[in-house]
Amino acid sequence: MAITASDVKSLRESTGAGMMDCKKALTESGGDMEKAVLWLRERGIAKAAKRGDKVAAEGSVYSYIHMGGKVGVMAEINCETDFVARGDQFQTLCKDICLQICSTAPLAVTREELDPKVVAVEKELYIKQAAETGKPKEICEKIAEGKLSKWYADVCLVDQKFVKDPDRSIEEMVTELSGTVGEKISI
């Protein structure tokens, strides 16, 4: 199938990826737009992983005040260059993250930032709940780990499902934009 300039333009507008990346994605996927989007997303995740050691020293402090002024959020989201920090996609991400925080009130950005004592108390609670069912200790531990993972998805920002699009987590959104702009992004 021949790939036209309008196909490349359409993919570029829907994903924000570079023109050459869009052309290669369409070529690799045989002109299938959905497969090309998936190819770009997979490639973006791989690129984002390579940038993990880079310093994200530029960025934006973004604030959001909910209607009525009773709830407000301020978040610092960083990237590698001021060029990306001033971009529309990055600013939209900042706004969406503040909206997420305002809507869900997470306890921490990542699992590692949670107080270990709070995590231990939560895990102990889940073990006791599982033990009440009469299951063996090993099974109770596994049940507790599963419940703890669900708890993380509620209390850790990057693990949460995005309120506007529950099919994606905040971490997936950040990784996707990181792949698109070619820079490390951190909250």
Side-chain angles (χ1 to χ4, degrees):
M1 175 180 188
I3 289 138
T4 66
S6 65
D7 292 338
V8 174
K9 181 182 177 193
S10 175
L11 182 60
R12 188 174 197 290
E13 287 173 354
S14 68
T15 63
M19 218 160 16
M20 294 308 291
D21 287 335
C22 289
K23 184 175 181 181
K24 186 168 184 173
L26 284 166
T27 303
E28 292 288 325
S29 64
D32 185 323
M33 197 66 74
E34 289 179 17
K35 286 182 182 176
V37 169
L38 182 62
W39 185 89
L40 285 170
R41 288 183 72 194
E42 288 170 353
R43 188 164 182 261
I45 290 169
K47 280 185 177 179
K50 288 180 187 175
R51 287 187 294 280
D53 294 335
K54 293 194 174 185
V55 176
E58 295 294 327
S60 179
V61 174
Y62 198 88
S63 63
Y64 172 79
I65 306 296
H66 194 62
M67 288 186 278
K70 293 185 179 187
V71 178
V73 172
M74 186 179 290
E76 178 182 354
I77 295 108
N78 292 317
C79 56
E80 295 173 38
T81 64
D82 62 338
F83 175 75
V84 169
R86 291 189 311 262
D88 290 340
Q89 291 176 312
F90 186 81
Q91 291 297 316
T92 299
L93 177 71
C94 293
K95 180 180 175 185
D96 286 343
I97 287 174
C98 283
L99 176 67
Q100 179 78 19
I101 294 168
C102 191
S103 300
T104 62
L107 298 178
V109 176
T110 65
R111 294 176 184 198
E112 294 76 27
E113 293 176 10
L114 285 169
D115 182 351
K117 291 177 186 174
V118 172
V119 174
V121 167
E122 201 69 25
K123 185 174 181 179
E124 191 62 35
L125 173 73
Y126 296 141
I127 290 172
K128 284 180 183 177
Q129 288 174 348
E132 289 175 1
T133 64
K135 294 192 177 12
K137 187 175 181 177
E138 302 81 36
I139 301 295
C140 292
E141 283 282 333
K142 289 184 180 185
I143 290 171
E145 287 297 324
K147 286 187 174 190
L148 205 54
S149 290
K150 289 179 184 176
W151 180 72
Y152 286 139
D154 287 338
V155 300
C156 297
L157 177 66
V158 296
D159 291 332
Q160 291 179 339
K161 296 297 182 186
F162 182 39
V163 291
K164 289 183 177 178
D165 181 4
D167 293 335
R168 298 179 355 175
S169 70
I170 297 297
E171 184 172 32
E172 290 170 339
M173 288 174 47
V174 170
T175 302
E176 195 173 298
L177 181 60
S178 180
T180 300
V181 299
E183 291 190 8
K184 177 182 177 182
I185 296 173
S186 63
I187 304 170

